[in-house]
Amino acid sequence: MPLVNPLPPKHDPETKELADFFNETLGFCPNSVLTMQIRPEIARAFINLNKAVMNNKGRVTSSLKRMIAWVSSNATGCRYCQAHAIRAAERYGAEQEKLDHIWDYKTHPAFSDGERAALDFSLAASVIPNAVDESIKKELHRHWDEGEIVEMLGVISLFGYLNRWNDSMGTTLEEGAIESGNQYLGKHGWEVGKHQ
């Protein structure tokens, strides 16, 4: 049972129009956004930030951004965001082998050195205390330019907000996200947990 129940998708027409973005990303409007719309300004600001962060300007692909989000969410333990991130990675064309082996990105041959650098950055930036150090910085700059690094940190920071929101809220997971979580993450112990 969530801390606060989400409102219906049509509650605020302006939020609903902005939230259509998530139909492409996830196939549904997330319950997190439906809860945020209790204060519509928060929902609208979040959706616009999400759109800006997920807009691709460099070589950081939509699928890599979602894998960065997954690593960040896994580090913080937010099962809601883990399921959403892996579902979005799938919908944005992540290779099957990467989806199946996201837990093993550090060693699995499906991941390039550049992807490993991005995912290591996500992990280091998501733990407390923050573990971004000179070796992370050096490896990032070997593979990515400054704009791409800013895009990555935008994703990590966005999911820092979402991880805290959804884990504290106990946001109910949507059926499609549960399916993706079970399919790609269940074999490694992922479960819905408090997000029922």
Side-chain angles (χ1 to χ4, degrees):
M1 185 111 184
L3 183 63
V4 175
N5 290 313
L7 295 174
K10 296 179 181 180
H11 175 78
D12 177 58
E14 189 177 342
T15 301
K16 183 188 180 315
E17 185 177 332
L18 282 170
D20 286 346
F21 161 78
F22 294 106
N23 291 332
E24 176 189 327
T25 305
L26 297 168
F28 53 82
C29 182
N31 283 330
S32 55
V33 172
L34 298 177
T35 304
M36 288 177 204
Q37 75 172 339
I38 291 170
R39 293 291 184 257
E41 302 82 12
I42 295 174
R44 291 180 208 136
F46 168 76
I47 294 166
N48 283 319
L49 178 62
N50 194 313
K51 286 180 173 183
V53 165
M54 293 303 185
N55 186 16
N56 302 326
K57 298 291 187 184
R59 296 172 296 138
V60 185
T61 64
S62 292
S63 62
L64 179 56
K65 283 185 176 182
R66 275 55 184 205
M67 288 188 284
I68 289 168
W70 180 82
V71 168
S72 180
S73 299
N74 187 50
T76 64
C78 181
R79 294 178 183 278
Y80 182 92
C81 292
Q82 290 170 25
H84 278 228
I86 204 72
R87 179 176 180 82
E90 175 188 33
R91 290 177 65 90
Y92 278 99
E95 297 166 25
Q96 188 68 45
E97 199 167 6
K98 290 178 183 175
L99 292 168
D100 289 338
H101 297 281
I102 187 73
W103 293 89
D104 307 312
Y105 79 85
K106 287 180 179 276
T107 57
H108 197 277
F111 295 89
S112 70
D113 288 341
E115 289 168 328
R116 283 189 189 94
L119 298 173
D120 282 345
F121 176 46
S122 180
L123 179 60
S126 300
V127 297
I128 298 172
N130 188 292
V132 176
D133 59 16
E134 281 302 312
S135 65
I136 296 285
K137 179 181 174 182
K138 183 179 176 184
E139 196 62 17
L140 270 176
H141 282 280
R142 270 184 26 144
H143 300 283
W144 306 100
D145 68 32
E146 289 184 347
E148 292 162 338
I149 293 168
V150 166
E151 285 187 57
M152 290 177 203
L153 190 53
V155 173
I156 296 162
S157 299
L158 178 73
F159 273 80
Y161 173 87
L162 283 170
N163 294 160
R164 282 165 179 75
W165 181 276
N166 290 303
D167 240 8
S168 299
M169 190 66 68
T171 308
T172 303
L173 255 168
E174 307 81 5
E175 194 56 43
I178 293 170
E179 290 169 12
S180 295
N182 285 334
Q183 180 179 356
Y184 296 111
L185 309 174
K187 62 185 169 243
H188 295 282
W190 180 91
E191 57 185 32
V192 173
K194 64 180 167 182
H195 300 287
Q196 297 183 23

